[in-house]
Amino acid sequence: MTDIKAAANPLFLRDEELRQGIELLFFAYRDFTAEGDAILDRYKFGRAHHRVIYFVGRHPMISVSDLLSLLRITKQSLSRVLGQLVREGFILQHPGPRDRRQRLLELTPKGRELENLLTEKQRCRLAAAYRMAGAEAVEGYRNVLLGLIDAPDRLRF
Amino acid sequence: MTDIKAAANPLFLRDEELRQGIELLFFAYRDFTAEGDAILDRYKFGRAHHRVIYFVGRHPMISVSDLLSLLRITKQSLSRVLGQLVREGFILQHPGPRDRRQRLLELTPKGRELENLLTEKQRCRLAAAYRMAGAEAVEGYRNVLLGLIDAPDRLRF
DNA sequence: CTTTTATGTCAGTCATGTTGACATATTACC
DNA sequence: GGTAATATGTCAACATGACTGACATAAAAG
């Protein structure tokens, strides 16, 4: 009559290990995103605006369709958020030089300022975690997360 | 006239490194949660139901207020989701033995079944990422994510 | 016996996602 | 040149899951 928990049951240990890994991801994501939300409230923006500002900042002159596939949302969802950001002067749209149907997106100085404000918090938090964990841990963090990402997008890194 | 990018500018490299870390977390979370959503659709449930089922499964006989502070949502938000799960027979409520105001929560067999179905996918995906990255990487993953979590909840691990 | 606590509920609002249908301008192709 | 495909935008309706605020009940704690 072996106690399934007390015994060094490899399946039990594995399950516990994996559940902890799941929860770490959940809590880390929750706390990592919570900080920026407070700032966004002041602009009457939400997390969706943050994501758009981030990726447009990261990929200047990105096309709408490329942005859509990064975010994995519909154009109708994007258009509400993007429309606000354009109207309020955080993002500029340029006709594509080769394909004039495109609207290539770019941050204005005002947009860059907000992007910096938002991302700086996150960079600080991540930098602190990196420092505490050490360089080797950072490689591990990267490799495990990479393995969680669907193959197509994995190539980005 | 040094090129700020071409030169081995430590600040530039650091920024790029941190942004990659941010994006890895974003994409990993996006893809990690997407899979379960498809299953939940079949039950007419959403991601919120998944979280409740997960944490009740993980902490049998958890009180409502403890669940609330795990999820960091309001009781009004929780009650809709929890109410459905109770009415449809996925979760049982028991009066607390010492404090009878409490409604301690527990999965029914039906709830456990759904929990398993949902979590199994995630465990598999994480296990695959762990295998690919190796044991040392797993430690790094854990330590970095731990550093991203707000101190109070960090103690859980 | 009064207050605090744990929980539930009603009502209204907001942010962000969805589908489906349709419009416009531009490019690509035969 | 004419037609089809593409990139984008827009209107409308709807679902989910957050929120706030107010109020109700039962039990515990003082």
Side-chain angles (χ1 to χ4, degrees):
Chain A
M1 306 304 139
T2 48
D3 183 340
I4 196 172
K5 288 190 182 186
N9 183 325
L11 278 181
F12 174 73
L13 290 176
R14 184 114 187 101
D15 183 75
E16 172 63 23
E17 186 188 15
L18 291 173
R19 282 182 184 271
Q20 283 202 11
I22 290 172
E23 287 162 38
L24 280 164
L25 185 61
F26 172 73
F27 290 122
Y29 192 83
R30 183 195 65 179
D31 294 345
F32 190 70
T33 49
E35 218 168 18
D37 293 356
I39 301 169
L40 288 157
D41 280 349
R42 298 206 296 268
Y43 291 79
K44 307 275 188 176
F45 286 159
R47 202 174 289 178
H49 300 82
H50 186 174
R51 293 198 280 255
V52 170
I53 285 185
Y54 179 86
F55 282 114
V56 171
R58 185 77 155 123
H59 305 282
M61 304 303 267
I62 190 176
S63 74
V64 170
S65 55
D66 285 351
L67 183 55
L68 283 174
S69 49
L70 270 182
L71 298 172
R72 295 255 181 99
I73 58 175
T74 59
K75 62 179 178 176
Q76 295 93 326
S77 289
L78 176 60
S79 97
R80 243 185 335 221
V81 175
L82 183 56
Q84 282 181 350
L85 291 170
V86 170
R87 275 193 304 278
E88 300 185 24
F90 292 87
I91 286 182
L92 274 180
Q93 296 172 310
H94 308 277
R98 271 168 297 280
D99 185 339
R100 283 180 317 183
R101 289 170 304 182
Q102 296 180 322
R103 306 287 194 89
L104 306 183
L105 306 172
E106 190 188 25
L107 293 184
T108 63
K110 188 178 167 189
R112 214 164 0 256
E113 197 180 338
L114 178 54
E115 196 280 333
N116 241 288
L117 182 61
L118 288 167
T119 313
E120 187 184 307
K121 294 275 185 185
Q122 298 197 323
R123 281 194 310 248
C124 283
R125 184 180 275 253
L126 186 59
Y130 275 10
R131 258 196 311 278
M132 287 207 321
E136 206 157 313
V138 172
E139 260 316 289
Y141 165 83
R142 291 176 51 92
N143 283 327
V144 172
L145 287 186
L146 211 52
L148 291 178
I149 296 172
D150 288 341
D153 273 329
R154 207 176 291 167
L155 300 175
R156 196 183 316 286
F157 297 92
Chain B
M1 308 302 146
T2 48
D3 183 340
I4 195 171
K5 289 192 179 183
N9 182 324
L11 279 179
F12 173 74
L13 290 175
R14 184 116 187 100
D15 184 74
E16 172 63 23
E17 186 188 14
L18 291 172
R19 283 183 184 272
Q20 283 202 10
I22 290 172
E23 289 162 38
L24 280 164
L25 185 59
F26 171 73
F27 289 122
Y29 193 84
R30 183 194 66 178
D31 293 346
F32 190 68
T33 50
E35 217 168 21
D37 293 356
I39 300 169
L40 288 157
D41 280 350
R42 298 206 294 266
Y43 291 77
K44 307 272 187 179
F45 287 158
R47 203 175 286 178
H49 299 82
H50 186 175
R51 294 199 279 257
V52 170
I53 285 185
Y54 179 87
F55 281 113
V56 171
R58 184 78 157 122
H59 305 283
M61 303 306 265
I62 191 177
S63 74
V64 171
S65 54
D66 285 351
L67 183 55
L68 282 175
S69 49
L70 269 182
L71 297 173
R72 297 254 182 98
I73 58 174
T74 59
K75 62 179 177 175
Q76 295 92 328
S77 290
L78 175 59
S79 99
R80 243 186 335 218
V81 175
L82 183 55
Q84 281 181 350
L85 291 171
V86 170
R87 275 193 305 277
E88 299 185 24
F90 291 88
I91 286 182
L92 274 179
Q93 294 172 310
H94 309 278
R98 273 167 297 279
D99 184 339
R100 283 181 314 181
R101 289 171 303 181
Q102 295 180 321
R103 307 284 194 88
L104 306 183
L105 307 173
E106 191 188 24
L107 293 184
T108 62
K110 187 177 166 190
R112 212 162 4 254
E113 196 180 338
L114 177 55
E115 196 280 333
N116 241 289
L117 181 61
L118 287 168
T119 313
E120 187 183 308
K121 294 276 185 184
Q122 297 196 323
R123 281 194 309 250
C124 283
R125 183 180 275 253
L126 187 59
Y130 275 9
R131 257 196 311 279
M132 285 206 324
E136 206 158 311
V138 172
E139 260 318 289
Y141 165 84
R142 291 176 52 94
N143 284 326
V144 172
L145 287 186
L146 211 52
L148 291 178
I149 297 173
D150 288 340
D153 273 331
R154 207 177 292 169
L155 300 173
R156 194 184 317 285
F157 296 94

